[in-house]
Amino acid sequence: MIIDVHTHLNNYHEERVVSIDDCLANLHREMKANGVACSLVLTSYKVTEHRPSTKSVIEATRGMKDIFVVAGISYLNYTEKDLRELSGYLEEGLVKGLKLYPGYEPFYPYDKRLKVVYDLAIEYDVPVMFHSGDTYSPKGKVRFSHPIHLDDVAVDYPEMKIVICHVGNPWIVDCMEVVYKNENVYADISGLVLGDFSDKFEKYMKTKLEEMILFTGEPKYLLYGTDWPICGMGSYIKFMNGLDLPDDKKELMMWKNAAELFKIDVASLS
Ligand SMILES: [Zn+2]
C-alpha cells in the first residue's frame, strides 16, 4: 500500500491553463501506474488560473475515496471569511490538514498571527504541514523556511501535529533534530528533485535519509510524499525501493504513519 501525502493540482508549466478535472485525471493516471492507493492534494497559498482554490479542489474531489484535501492558507492574505469557510470544511471532514508556506511568504511559523490557525488545527485534530527548506522559486526567502523555526511551534503547541515538508532540504540535519526532539513533529520526503532523481543525487539523498533514520531511531515520523507533478512518482518509488530499510519500517513510511496521522480509512482504499 502507498499513500502519497504531498501532491498538487497546480499547473507549474504556465503556458496554458489546464482544467482541474484534467489535472485530476492526470493524478489518477499517475497513481494507477505506480500503485498509489491514496493521495493528499495540497492547495496553494494563492489562487490563480493555474492554482485552484481549496473550495474548487474540494468540489472537484468530493466523493472520491482515494483523494483528500489539505488546505493551503495564505499568511499574508487570510481573512475572517477564509477561516470561517475552513472551519466549515473541517467540521464536515472535507479537509484532512492545513498547509502554510513560509519562505514563499515572508513569515516565521511562530508568528503570533498564526495562533488562530493553530487553534483550529488543535480543535479539529488535523496536522499542519509547513513548506520547509529550498523554494522552487528564486523569489522565495529561505531564512523563513528553515526547519529550526518549527521547534518553537512544536514546543508552544504540544497538542498540534506538525509536518516538516521536504525534510527541510537542504537543512536535513536541522529537520532531523526537530523531529527527534518533539513527539508532535513529522517530516515528509517530498520535493527532493525536479522531475526524476539522477543516479548521483539518488545516492546522496539515500545516505542522508538513512542517516536521519539512524539518528531519530524508528522511522515512525517519516511520511512518503512526492510533490507530484513537480517530481515524478515512478522515480520516487524507485528511490524508496533502494533505501536500506527493513520492510516493516518501509511500510511505516509508505502508508502506516500517514494513515494514522491524517486519519485515512485504509479499509475503504482497497
Ligand atoms: Zn509541494
Side-chain angles (χ1 to χ4, degrees), residues 177-233:
E177 168 58 12
V178 180
V179 167
Y180 172 70
K181 174 178 165 290
N182 300 293
E183 259 185 38
N184 53 337
V185 181
Y186 300 73
D188 84 31
I189 62 161
S190 71
L192 298 176
V193 284
L194 298 180
D196 296 334
F197 285 93
S198 66
D199 288 348
K200 256 197 178 150
F201 190 72
E202 183 175 304
K203 227 168 149 187
Y204 166 81
M205 261 309 155
K206 215 167 97 46
T207 314
K208 293 275 158 211
L209 271 191
E210 283 165 4
E211 267 174 24
M212 180 161 175
I213 292 164
L214 180 73
F215 184 83
T216 52
E218 281 219 34
K220 56 183 176 190
Y221 303 111
L222 275 180
L223 305 165
Y224 177 77
T226 56
D227 217 2
W228 183 90
I230 296 173
C231 307
M233 284 194 182

Side-chain angles (χ1 to χ4, degrees), residues 39-59:
S39 292
L40 299 187
V41 168
L42 282 44
T43 61
S44 183
Y45 59 100
K46 57 182 178 186
V47 178
T48 69
E49 56 183 346
H50 305 292
R51 291 167 184 251
S53 67
T54 300
K55 187 173 183 218
S56 41
V57 174
I58 285 177
E59 274 162 15

Side-chain angles (χ1 to χ4, degrees), residues 6-8 10 12 42-43 99 101 104 129 131 136 165-166 188 190-191 226-230:
H6 195 134
T7 70
H8 299 283
N10 305 332
Y12 297 97
L42 282 44
T43 61
K99 168 97 189 268
Y101 291 83
Y104 288 103
M129 303 178 80
H131 173 77
Y136 179 69
C165 295
H166 322 304
D188 84 31
S190 71
T226 56
D227 217 2
W228 183 90
I230 296 173

